[in-house]
Amino acid sequence: QVQLVESGGGSVQTGGSLRLSCSASGGTSDIDCMAWFRATPGKGREAVAASDPHSNYLAVSVRGRFSSGFDRTKGTSHLQMNYLKPEDTAMYFCAARGKYCYSDDYDDPAKYYAWGPGIQVTVSS
């Protein structure tokens, strides 16, 4: 079974940057899409970004500030977060699935079969 683990979280001031990384292991050759979600008690879980060999998707709320990438050969993904805001504070999760990302379903958590344990990002004002 595919296992994922996130790294790179922490606490920063408003306007700061963080880079999250996700590393996959165990049957990674069939992963065709990796995504990032975040969750808070107030907003619940929401999609942040997703990447496959052909496409990249970003939520409107982070467009222009965040970027992401997926390396299928290495089984890794990253989420570069710049100009962070307090509303970006959340637990961030990486996810993987065996089909390409699509604009109409990349943000559906049910479409992913593997998840990391999550990592905290805190942005103070």
Side-chain angles (χ1 to χ4, degrees):
Q1 182 67 262
V2 174
Q3 297 183 21
L4 308 177
V5 62
E6 304 93 344
S7 62
S11 299
V12 298
Q13 296 285 314
T14 296
S17 298
L18 285 173
R19 183 181 178 90
L20 303 183
S21 297
C22 179
S23 180
S25 62
T28 61
S29 62
D30 60 350
I31 296 175
D32 289 322
C33 172
M34 295 186 74
W36 290 91
F37 289 77
R38 64 187 182 186
T40 64
K43 295 182 178 180
R45 183 178 294 179
E46 63 175 343
V48 178
S51 301
D52 70 20
H54 305 288
S55 303
N56 287 280
Y57 301 94
L58 289 170
V60 173
S61 61
V62 305
R63 202 166 297 168
R65 300 187 297 121
F66 292 12
S67 63
S68 66
F70 166 50
D71 188 328
R72 183 163 58 182
T73 300
K74 296 180 179 179
T76 60
S77 69
H78 73 267
L79 181 68
Q80 179 66 46
M81 304 182 291
N82 301 317
Y83 306 104
L84 284 161
K85 306 174 181 179
E87 49 263 47
D88 295 317
T89 296
M91 185 73 73
Y92 284 72
F93 301 86
C94 65
R97 72 192 203 185
K99 62 177 288 187
Y100 292 135
C101 307
Y102 294 99
S103 62
D104 61 348
D105 77 351
Y106 83 91
D107 59 347
D108 184 357
K111 302 298 183 180
Y112 297 84
Y113 62 69
W115 292 83
I119 192 164
Q120 181 67 34
V121 170
T122 301
V123 185
S124 60
S125 59

